[in-house]
Amino acid sequence: MNTSKNSKRSRSDLRPAQLALIEEIKGAPSGIAVLGMGGGKTASYLTALLDMQAEGIVTRGIMLAPARVVDNVWLNEPAKWSHLQHMDVVPVTGAPSRRKKIMDSSDADMLVVSIDNVKWLVDYLKKAKWDLSQIALGIDEMSKFKQPTSKRGRELMKIAHLFDGVWGLTGTPRPNGVEDLFLPIKIVGGKMAWGVSSFSEWRELNFRKLDYHGYKWAPHTFTLPSLERIAKEWMVYGPVDDLVKPKLNTGLDFVRYVDASPEQALHLAELNKDLMTNLPDGGDVMALIEAMGRAAVTGKMTQIVQGFAYDETGRGIPLKNNPKLDMMAEMDSELGGDSAIVSYGYRAEIPQLEALFKHRRVGLLGGGISTAKANATIDAWNNGEIDRLLLHPASAGHGIELQFGGHHIVHYHPQWSAELYDQVIKRIDRPAQTHEVFNWWISMRGTVDDLKYARVEEKLQNEESFRQILRRMGV
């Protein structure tokens, strides 16, 4: 895969699974497309929309997406492809007045709205009296609508049937079972897609209680086949054999960017100010950093970027907002049933990540655990008993085999060392790995993360890398 900054892929670079998905979207007005994280759902949907516009089927599209994906993934995707580069994708963000102004004035090919603003969108479209029959509605990460009685779901049901079609995109069709499909299939198939419109009635007909209070339910053995048949009518799965290739996917296409919170920006500005205050007239910033200790300066930057401020005793104090943790939550949802290694750096990050993954089976390699515990964790991971493996790069020594447990890595806390970075990747990108490996980054724009990426991915020399990041930071 060519991931250089200046290259563009063409339509001929779309994989068989993507081409199949494009034809499904064009051939049926509504459905749920299932393709794993990194499988290419974004480019597939945009290509299908482009074709439907060219054929006069629709005039434009509206995409509902998680907040952190609105102006990141969807906004940036067209520029990566020669056949999509002229598509106008506009994020509808900001205060309600700003969102209204964008909707009123934009003739974009696709408007991208946060799932959090579903009620606002429904109210706007009802008042504006748009002809929705000429518009395609897409929903990125359909699992966000898995709660059958959610307010956003009820709001969307008011207008979903008015669109030319509704396609949901997901890598996780049923995170917790068939019940999670009730609302998504109603959204794409209409309120009677299951035969009844009420969730409680549907559940009483098709499920049995597993406990006295009715907190847990399971489908009857005699109703499960019909439930599966209905689900199959609305769901399209990407061909599995298209992804079963020992190939490493890495580079800028697999970086999820976040912006510093106001609190982080303030701390970084203060650090910048301290650097400039200590710089003598005519002095060289690089010389100053060398004198102060390169590790000390960049270490402070990293602490802030990862969401911490450290007091005089060395105790890590979490900052109020942590954009990286928020992005990790979005990626966790996208990954769904796919297991993933999450590379961390600070011990203080462990409880934060464990709390985030409280609904998952979590393992830990690092954090001072014993050899016996580490070996047991490795076995559990390779046996499919762990969903999220928190891994410190120093614990990913040569010879450790993790390729049997998953094929996704998320660098939550990017590393400086190219050797440690490659070592982490090689734990799953190795012989006996039967799937494509996806190497993800969570990176904060205009910070030390840019420097780390330059060091380990772009292989820039140390001084050149330092000067590059310092220029971006305004030093």
Side-chain angles (χ1 to χ4, degrees):
M1 179 179 291
N2 191 337
T3 57
S4 65
K5 292 181 179 179
N6 298 320
S7 66
K8 279 188 174 63
R9 283 167 287 177
S10 67
R11 190 167 185 135
S12 62
D13 292 318
L14 291 165
R15 299 186 347 267
Q18 291 176 291
L19 294 172
L21 178 56
I22 290 165
E23 292 307 313
E24 290 285 354
I25 294 172
K26 290 162 57 177
S30 300
I32 298 174
V34 183
L35 202 58
M37 184 177 176
K41 295 186 291 291
T42 308
S44 300
Y45 188 86
L46 287 172
T47 301
L49 178 62
L50 181 70
D51 288 353
M52 289 190 293
Q53 286 178 301
E55 295 166 16
I57 299 172
V58 299
T59 57
R60 56 164 41 174
I62 294 177
M63 176 61 64
L64 291 170
R68 292 190 171 273
V69 177
V70 170
D71 56 3
N72 187 324
V73 175
W74 286 97
L75 183 62
N76 296 331
E77 188 70 18
K80 300 174 184 177
W81 299 83
S82 59
H83 70 291
L84 299 176
Q85 61 182 324
H86 299 300
M87 285 192 80
D88 187 16
V89 176
V90 174
V92 183
T93 57
S97 59
R98 183 176 185 272
R99 297 198 297 266
K100 181 180 183 301
K101 185 177 180 180
I102 294 171
M103 295 287 286
D104 286 344
S105 60
S106 178
D107 58 355
D109 295 303
M110 188 166 78
L111 297 158
V112 191
V113 182
S114 169
I115 286 174
D116 296 333
N117 294 325
V118 165
K119 186 180 186 311
W120 174 86
L121 177 66
V122 172
D123 290 343
Y124 171 86
L125 291 174
K126 288 167 71 175
K127 291 178 182 177
K129 298 186 183 339
W130 283 21
D131 180 7
L132 301 183
S133 67
Q134 298 295 307
I135 298 175
L137 176 65
I139 304 171
D140 188 6
E141 205 40 65
M142 196 67 171
S143 61
K144 294 290 185 182
F145 289 88
K146 68 182 180 181
Q147 294 297 333
T149 58
S150 70
K151 290 182 180 179
R152 64 167 62 133
R154 290 200 301 270
E155 287 295 325
L156 188 57
M157 283 297 298
K158 294 177 182 178
I159 63 169
H161 64 286
L162 300 175
F163 287 89
D164 170 77
V166 183
W167 271 92
L169 309 176
T170 187
T172 318
R174 54 180 80 183
N176 299 307
V178 182
E179 288 175 275
D180 287 350
L181 292 177
F182 179 79
L183 183 56
I185 286 181
K186 269 186 67 174
I187 290 172
V188 300
K191 66 179 183 179
M192 297 302 291
W194 292 102
V196 294
S197 62
S198 165
F199 173 70
S200 58
E201 183 181 356
W202 176 77
R203 188 167 61 176
E204 288 287 349
L205 287 171
N206 296 286
F207 292 73
R208 58 187 175 84
K209 292 181 183 178
L210 295 181
D211 60 85
Y212 177 78
H213 297 288
Y215 294 131
K216 294 183 179 180
W217 297 67
H220 293 297
T221 54
F222 58 86
T223 60
L224 186 58
S226 65
L227 295 175
E228 295 281 4
R229 177 183 54 77
I230 294 171
K232 189 176 180 180
E233 289 176 3
W234 294 102
M235 300 178 72
V236 176
Y237 289 82
V240 175
D241 60 351
D242 182 44
L243 293 177
V244 183
K245 298 175 183 175
K247 170 185 174 185
L248 176 64
N249 294 281
T250 190
L252 289 172
D253 288 348
F254 301 93
V255 179
R256 293 291 177 88
Y257 288 103
V258 298
D259 294 310
S261 69
E263 188 179 11
Q264 286 173 312
L266 180 62
H267 281 289
L268 290 169
E270 289 174 351
L271 180 58
N272 187 358
K273 182 178 178 182
D274 289 342
L275 280 174
M276 299 308 294
T277 300
N278 289 297
L279 183 66
D281 292 339
D284 180 66
V285 175
M286 286 300 298
L288 173 63
I289 289 177
E290 291 289 358
M292 294 175 67
R294 186 175 290 188
V297 174
T298 56
K300 290 180 180 178
M301 295 176 186
T302 297
Q303 290 165 6
I304 297 167
V305 166
Q306 293 300 130
F308 296 96
Y310 281 75
D311 60 18
E312 294 77 6
T313 67
R315 182 172 62 97
I317 304 172
L319 300 177
K320 185 176 181 181
N321 296 309
N322 189 337
K324 282 198 167 188
L325 202 60
D326 293 341
M327 178 58 80
M328 187 67 254
E330 292 291 351
M331 296 181 72
D332 175 67
S333 179
E334 288 183 58
L335 284 162
D338 282 351
S339 54
I341 292 173
V342 179
S343 177
Y344 74 95
Y346 297 141
R347 285 198 181 192
E349 293 167 350
I350 297 174
Q352 291 183 326
L353 291 167
E354 287 178 332
L356 179 66
F357 301 141
K358 62 185 178 182
H359 57 302
R360 306 285 188 195
R361 299 171 298 175
V362 180
L364 174 66
L365 284 179
I369 65 173
S370 67
T371 300
K373 177 65 174 175
N375 289 338
T377 299
I378 292 170
D379 288 343
W381 164 261
N382 282 326
N383 289 331
E385 299 166 8
I386 291 175
D387 302 313
R388 302 289 178 263
L389 178 60
L390 309 185
L391 174 68
H392 193 284
S395 300
H398 295 289
I400 294 179
E401 297 193 350
L402 301 174
Q403 71 270 34
F404 303 104
H407 55 281
H408 289 275
I409 303 171
V410 180
H411 298 274
Y412 175 75
H413 183 139
Q415 293 298 309
W416 282 108
S417 167
E419 181 181 0
L420 283 179
Y421 174 67
D422 289 339
Q423 197 163 281
V424 170
I425 296 172
K426 291 301 181 185
R427 295 316 94 214
I428 64 172
D429 182 34
R430 58 193 296 115
Q433 173 61 262
T434 57
H435 290 74
E436 281 188 279
V437 173
F438 293 92
N439 189 51
W440 303 94
W441 277 64
I442 300 179
S443 183
M444 187 168 286
R445 291 186 184 92
T447 70
V448 70
D449 280 353
D450 290 340
L451 174 55
K452 292 178 179 180
Y453 188 88
R455 284 279 301 275
V456 302
E457 273 284 342
E458 297 174 356
K459 313 300 184 189
L460 297 185
Q461 296 301 310
N462 290 357
E463 185 165 329
E464 180 187 353
S465 301
F466 258 83
R467 292 188 183 280
Q468 183 184 76
I469 187 64
L470 290 171
R471 284 195 297 272
R472 292 177 188 171
M473 294 178 64
V475 178

